[in-house]
Amino acid sequence: MPNFFHTAARAMSVASIFILVVPASLPAAHASPIPNFTLHTVANIPLHGRATRFDYQSYDAGRHLLFIAHLGDSSITVFNTRTQKVTADMAGVSKVHGVLAIPALSRVYASATGRNEVVAIDEATLKVVAAIPGGDYPDGMAYVPPAHKLYVSDETGGTETVIDVRSNQRVATIPLGGEAGNTQYDPASGHLFVNVQTRGDLAEIDPATDRVVARYRLPGADHNHGLLIEPDGRWAFIACEGNAKLLVFDMQSKRVVATEPVGNTPDVLAFDPSLSLLYVASESGVISVFRIARNAVRKIVEAHVAAKAHTVAVDSGTHQVYLPLENVDGKPLLRIMQPAF
């Protein structure tokens, strides 16, 4: 993609980092132009603990709480987005990778990968109320409300662990035939989709039977790990760690319809539905931003933010973007950014 942005960031101050000028020749089939799109830093919040790796995040909009997996410290940072303060640090969640807030249950689930288990946390007290076997290297998670089930990617074990959230018991283990990447629920179909990253395919699971009912080849995929399904079920976005590509998967035709370059080793994706913006974070520190339309997906800007800025979350109410950074001048911090037009 041509270099349509200008970077003007200062590490610890409020500064615009993306400015896009869209060429007049933009094809009509693409998403609507955003002639003066910017994404600027509004705050850098110091975080507790050591300058070690972060992983997944999950946001409870009703409580204004962002849960951040501080993997390297085996803790979960709880950040209040309204007061912009850290309210708690939950220690003892061994090598925590995945974290998922389920507001309807007033519960947070986290994959304690160091102990190969999934822990259930009471959101009001922030106390662990259950520990459930999670397979071999539990990672990402997805919740299927109609089935009252939590699905956990057992990455190196090559399975999907199924947990009944009513009893907090493991009720099934689904073989995938390869390493499990991220897992996402599609409300439109009522089915679950899992990246099988060593096979280069996408597995579809029926929660009624806990069986793989279909597999879809992903041409161009190399270690397809990251996965996000648009809320209305039109598109799935698949981040491929091995070749720095974002695959756009049409959920109706069940095929890859576009491939876009992103930063090296893309990881976590986040979507702001009201602005139709998709954020792709990568291990290289590059953030790619896409505009989503009914008939097209277009990259609108891309730039380096900070080293290892590989995890991203969005508050769709305020449109603020959250990037926990493990080491800025020897300390961890949470960079908060805001899009503007």
Side-chain angles (χ1 to χ4, degrees):
M1 176 185 178
N3 186 5
F4 295 140
F5 62 84
H6 171 68
T7 301
R10 293 187 299 273
M12 295 298 289
S13 65
V14 176
S16 290
I17 72 161
F18 303 138
I19 299 175
L20 172 71
V21 178
V22 179
S25 59
L26 183 70
H30 284 300
S32 300
I34 306 179
N36 294 299
F37 178 85
T38 65
L39 184 65
H40 59 278
T41 300
V42 297
N44 285 299
I45 309 295
L47 297 178
H48 304 152
R50 299 172 299 151
T52 58
R53 184 175 177 82
F54 292 95
D55 210 353
Y56 288 104
Q57 307 174 72
S58 187
Y59 184 52
D60 181 341
R63 292 179 171 88
H64 307 286
L65 294 179
L66 179 66
F67 297 88
I68 307 169
H70 196 166
L71 190 162
D73 272 21
S74 291
S75 67
I76 298 173
T77 298
V78 186
F79 180 77
N80 188 306
T81 61
R82 177 173 283 176
T83 63
Q84 294 203 337
K85 293 182 179 179
V86 174
T87 61
D89 288 285
M90 294 187 55
V93 186
S94 182
K95 296 183 180 178
V96 55
H97 281 72
V99 60
L100 182 64
I102 306 177
L105 302 176
S106 297
R107 211 174 296 159
V108 178
Y109 287 87
S111 51
T113 309
R115 292 195 294 266
N116 288 328
E117 64 185 19
V118 175
V119 296
I121 299 162
D122 183 290
E123 197 170 350
T125 64
L126 297 181
K127 301 294 184 183
V128 173
V129 296
I132 308 112
D136 185 7
Y137 206 93
D139 192 10
M141 296 177 288
Y143 178 54
V144 179
H148 308 287
K149 292 176 181 177
L150 181 75
Y151 290 79
V152 185
S153 299
D154 173 9
E155 186 167 347
T156 58
T159 65
E160 195 76 7
T161 297
V162 187
I163 295 168
D164 188 322
V165 298
R166 294 166 297 190
S167 62
N168 281 328
Q169 298 291 317
R170 181 171 58 181
V171 294
T173 300
I174 306 169
L176 297 173
E179 282 187 2
N182 207 353
T183 299
Q184 289 281 291
Y185 172 56
D186 172 31
S189 66
H191 283 189
L192 195 83
F193 291 80
V194 187
N195 270 325
V196 188
Q197 58 194 27
T198 48
R199 292 173 54 113
D201 68 20
L202 190 67
E204 180 177 359
I205 294 171
D206 183 351
T209 61
D210 286 332
R211 294 181 181 274
V212 173
V213 295
R215 291 184 181 273
Y216 306 102
R217 285 187 59 251
L218 301 174
D222 184 349
H223 210 77
N224 46 300
H225 183 76
L227 177 64
L228 185 146
I229 297 176
E230 196 183 10
D232 64 7
R234 290 177 302 170
W235 309 100
F237 303 102
I238 299 164
C240 300
E241 292 182 334
N243 57 352
K245 300 293 184 185
L246 179 75
L247 306 184
V248 181
F249 184 82
D250 187 304
M251 293 293 288
Q252 280 68 53
S253 65
K254 298 296 194 298
R255 63 187 183 91
V256 174
V257 295
T259 303
E260 292 281 350
V262 290
N264 287 335
T265 321
D267 191 0
V268 180
L269 302 89
F271 185 61
D272 186 337
S274 57
L275 295 182
S276 297
L277 294 178
L278 173 73
Y279 297 88
V280 182
S282 67
E283 296 281 358
S284 61
V286 169
I287 302 296
S288 306
V289 187
F290 293 82
R291 181 71 177 272
I292 311 303
R294 286 209 66 84
N295 62 344
V297 175
R298 178 175 177 78
K299 184 191 295 183
I300 57 172
V301 77
E302 183 173 87
H304 186 271
V305 174
K308 297 182 181 179
H310 72 105
T311 173
V312 59
V314 177
D315 177 352
S316 61
T318 64
H319 312 299
Q320 290 190 334
V321 180
Y322 298 92
L323 297 160
L325 306 175
E326 68 179 73
N327 191 339
V328 178
D329 296 328
K331 298 178 181 179
L333 66 81
L334 180 63
R335 180 157 296 164
I336 305 174
M337 310 191 80
Q338 182 88 42
F341 303 91

